[in-house]
Amino acid sequence: MPVLPGAEPYRHEGGDVGVLLCHGFTGSPRSMRPWGEYLAERGLTVSVPLLPGHGTRWQDMQVTGWQDWYAEVDRELRVLSATCSRVFVCGLSMGGALALRLAARHGDAVAGLVLVNPANKVHGVAAHALPVVRHVVASKDGIANDIAKPGVDEGGYDRVPLHAAHSMRQFLRLVDGELPQVTQPLLLLRAPQDHVVPPADSARVLSRVSSTDVTEVLLEQSYHVATLDLDAERIFEESHAFIGRLAPGAGGTAAQGRDREGSTTGG
């Protein structure tokens, strides 16, 4: 299946500090592209991979699971680490959980984490029925476009494939068990009016990680997909300042480097 317009992976070759941005469940790089471009314009090397089964049609997710999604970001981290002196990992929603596992497993290879409305658990009574229901019902209503800003479309699926949702539930439980292994500096930005991931998920993450350098920022004007919402610019600025504090001199004030050939401007 062809990739939807704006859902293409994005890569910018910049300086020796890299940033890996992980999109969320049923989403695509479209939700992270403006953030990635902001950091690229400031001289950082940026990678926004497209997770397997995403960015085409929801049916394609039915044959993928958390192992596939994690393998993709794990590969990108290794690619960045081969050319960059320090690598930061950022994630939205399930992308935040992917980022946390990378931090837990790769240690010093991850210099710091920036999480936006990170997911920690699949909520609701129906979550407990997923192991059985997924064999009877293929999908349910989608979770895309929880955005306060009018006229914005994140380009996510309009259906949630239940086989994939079951796999995500297993993954989030796995990551929760690994949170004490996370020791890196952490910037967590969350929207109190998130209609997809409740505040309890961020609270759980903050209570279980072993990081001592922790900053929490509230995004009062945004909903779940805050990276495209009214607080987007604040996310970009806070993350750039966070990276600059931990890697002095990272990037510059003027754009440098180039986008990977074949990258498009969608999203």
Side-chain angles (χ1 to χ4, degrees):
M1 288 294 295
V3 175
L4 297 170
E8 304 90 352
Y10 171 75
R11 179 71 183 266
H12 174 84
E13 306 292 348
D16 70 347
V17 173
V19 185
L20 171 60
L21 294 101
C22 309
H23 69 76
F25 183 73
T26 73
S28 78
R30 185 170 177 175
S31 63
M32 311 297 275
R33 180 68 178 253
W35 189 1
E37 290 178 340
Y38 178 96
L39 296 174
E41 288 169 0
R42 283 149 183 82
L44 300 173
T45 290
V46 177
S47 176
V48 189
L50 172 64
L51 302 180
H54 293 70
T56 53
R57 56 175 192 160
W58 69 263
Q59 291 89 342
D60 293 334
M61 280 192 71
Q62 289 286 57
V63 294
T64 68
W66 73 260
Q67 296 91 340
D68 304 298
W69 314 326
Y70 179 75
E72 182 65 19
V73 297
D74 184 88
R75 183 186 70 81
E76 283 297 311
L77 176 61
R78 294 174 191 273
V79 170
L80 286 171
S81 296
T83 58
C84 296
S85 62
R86 306 195 79 184
V87 179
F88 294 81
V89 184
C90 309
L92 167 67
S93 194
M94 184 188 74
L98 291 169
L100 285 163
R101 186 161 209 247
L102 288 173
R105 295 179 67 88
H106 286 276
D108 291 341
V110 175
L113 293 171
V114 182
L115 310 178
V116 179
N117 295 325
N120 175 260
K121 183 179 180 181
V122 175
H123 296 270
V125 177
H128 300 287
L130 275 174
V132 175
V133 173
R134 65 192 174 103
H135 296 293
V136 181
V137 180
S139 66
K140 71 176 188 68
D141 291 341
I143 56 174
N145 290 332
D146 185 37
I147 303 172
K149 188 176 181 179
V152 179
D153 180 7
E154 69 165 306
Y157 292 150
D158 60 0
R159 304 292 299 175
V160 171
L162 295 190
H163 278 299
H166 174 63
S167 184
M168 180 176 69
R169 180 172 181 253
Q170 294 177 312
F171 176 64
L172 294 180
R173 294 173 70 179
L174 173 68
V175 173
D176 185 70
E178 295 178 342
L179 289 179
Q181 299 173 42
V182 176
T183 60
Q184 293 86 344
L186 170 63
L187 170 62
L188 189 149
L189 306 102
R190 67 174 180 87
Q193 298 185 78
D194 189 330
H195 304 103
V196 177
V197 173
D201 282 32
S202 288
R204 173 79 175 179
V205 169
L206 292 176
S207 71
R208 287 183 54 75
V209 297
S210 298
S211 305
T212 55
D213 182 345
V214 177
T215 304
E216 182 179 18
V217 175
L218 295 185
L219 306 172
E220 300 284 1
Q221 303 181 79
S222 300
Y223 295 164
H224 182 62
V225 191
T227 52
L228 297 178
D229 215 328
L230 296 169
D231 291 297
E233 196 72 15
R234 184 175 186 191
I235 294 172
F236 306 164
E237 292 171 354
E238 293 275 3
S239 64
H240 185 241
F242 174 77
I243 293 168
R245 174 170 66 83
L246 296 169
T253 55
Q256 57 178 291
R258 61 179 180 83
D259 291 354
R260 174 178 286 174
E261 186 176 345
S263 182
T264 68
T265 58

